[in-house]
């Protein structure tokens, strides 16, 4: 089984100007990402607006990404759902179309207990043969997975990765301490700091726009252990991370893609395009990184 490491882009879902799925643009975007050196791709995460897609569109996005990646990098498909049975079905479907793994946030409305969360992931894991990346993001799911619960989940055979997006670097270190080699941690925030305490990867929003920089941050920090060089990259991309942060992260990421000539299109309602007063500062950040 492939061991996932490095910078994985949590991809946008490109739409046409009239709001349809842009399959051609998505395939071109995948190819560009791979050529720029990303270590993996994650379609249908929060950045991919998965809750704003039809069931048929979710399948088609997965198919296009797997086909375009063509085995060059691993593809982890987001298969989250509120109902466990639906999550099982989506995850089986992802495996059937060739996903290398799946990323799953806990049920995001029902405020499940620890036992319910464990049962949810255990049922999904029993239905497939590919690894599961748990996605802990208390800001969007209203559910926080403390380190001791993550350690319990890591006892499920193929629950072996976590995207840790609580924003706490000490939480990352605690998960690594409690889980050992049963759980590989990818950061969702503070990539440089998380790498320094043992994270093996980064699920990167900014990699949609600057994939080579995100991949280089991993290589310099984890592979080469270049403290000064990696810190310089982290400092360089910090303004971009700030520009994409907050509630408008999807709209900001899609606006940035338009500025650098990559497929993105508008977000789907209820999201609106990035407000005009946010566009000039975002463009200035992209110019500072020589991306436009």
């Amino acid at each position: 089984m492939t061991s996932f490491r490095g910078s994985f882009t949590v991809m946008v879902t490109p739409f046409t100007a009239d709001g349809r799925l842009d399959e051609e643009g998505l395939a071109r975007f995948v190819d560009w990402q791979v050529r720029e050196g990303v270590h993996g791709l994650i379609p249908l995460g929060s950045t991919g607006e998965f809750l704003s897609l039809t069931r048929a569109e979710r399948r088609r996005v997965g198919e296009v990404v797997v086909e375009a990646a063509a085995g060059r990098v691993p593809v982890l498909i987001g298969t989250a759902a509120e109902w466990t049975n639906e999550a099982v079905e989506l995850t089986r479907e992802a495996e059937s179309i060739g996903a290398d793994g799946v990323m799953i946030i806990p049920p995001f409305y029902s405020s499940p207990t620890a036992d319910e969360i464990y049962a949810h992931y255990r049922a999904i894991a029993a239905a497939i043969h590919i690894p599961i990346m748990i996605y802990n993001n208390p800001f969007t799911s209203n559910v926080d997975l403390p380190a001791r619960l993550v350690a319990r989940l890591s006892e499920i055979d193929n629950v072996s990765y976590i995207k840790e997006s609580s924003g706490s670097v000490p939480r990352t270190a605690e998960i690594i301490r409690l889980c050992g080699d049963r759980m590989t941690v990818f950061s969702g925030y503070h990539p440089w700091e998380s790498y320094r305490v043992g994270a093996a990867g980064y699920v990167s929003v900014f990699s949609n726009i600057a994939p080579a920089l995100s991949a280089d941050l991993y290589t310099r920090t984890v592979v080469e252990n270049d403290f000064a060089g990696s810190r310089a990259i982290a400092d360089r991309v910090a303004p971009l991370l700030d520009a994409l942060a907050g509630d408008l992260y999807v709209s900001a990421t899609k606006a940035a893609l338009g500025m650098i000539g990559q497929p993105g299109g508008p977000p789907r309602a209820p999201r609106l395009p990035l407000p005009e007063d946010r566009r000039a500062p975002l463009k200035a950040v992209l110019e500072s990184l020589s991306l436009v």
Side-chain angles (χ1 to χ4, degrees), residues 204-221:
S204 177
V205 173
F206 92 81
S207 186
N208 280 284
I209 301 152
L213 272 175
S214 189
D216 198 24
L217 178 61
Y218 167 79
T219 300
R220 291 287 190 94
T221 313

Side-chain angles (χ1 to χ4, degrees), residues 1 23 40 55 89 96 108 133 225 252:
M1 184 178 293
E23 294 187 20
R55 179 65 183 274
E89 190 174 338
S96 74
F108 32 79
M133 176 182 282
N225 197 27

Side-chain angles (χ1 to χ4, degrees), residues 20-104:
R20 293 178 294 107
L21 181 62
D22 182 2
E23 294 187 20
E24 181 182 345
L26 178 58
R28 285 190 286 109
F29 186 60
V30 168
D31 187 62
W32 176 68
Q33 286 277 318
V34 174
R35 288 187 286 106
E36 286 289 296
V38 299
H39 304 110
L41 296 167
I42 304 179
L44 300 174
S46 303
T47 309
E49 302 176 77
F50 75 95
L51 286 172
S52 301
L53 300 175
T54 67
R55 179 65 183 274
E57 286 174 329
R58 287 181 71 165
R59 180 186 178 97
R60 189 60 190 140
V61 167
E63 289 173 337
V64 171
V65 174
V66 168
E67 291 167 5
R72 292 175 290 173
V73 297
V75 175
L76 278 64
I77 295 178
T79 58
E82 179 69 15
W83 180 29
T84 300
N85 289 20
E86 184 180 10
V88 167
E89 190 174 338
L90 286 165
T91 303
R92 283 177 170 156
E93 180 177 88
E95 183 175 32
S96 74
I97 64 176
D100 299 285
V102 291
M103 185 177 76
I104 306 174

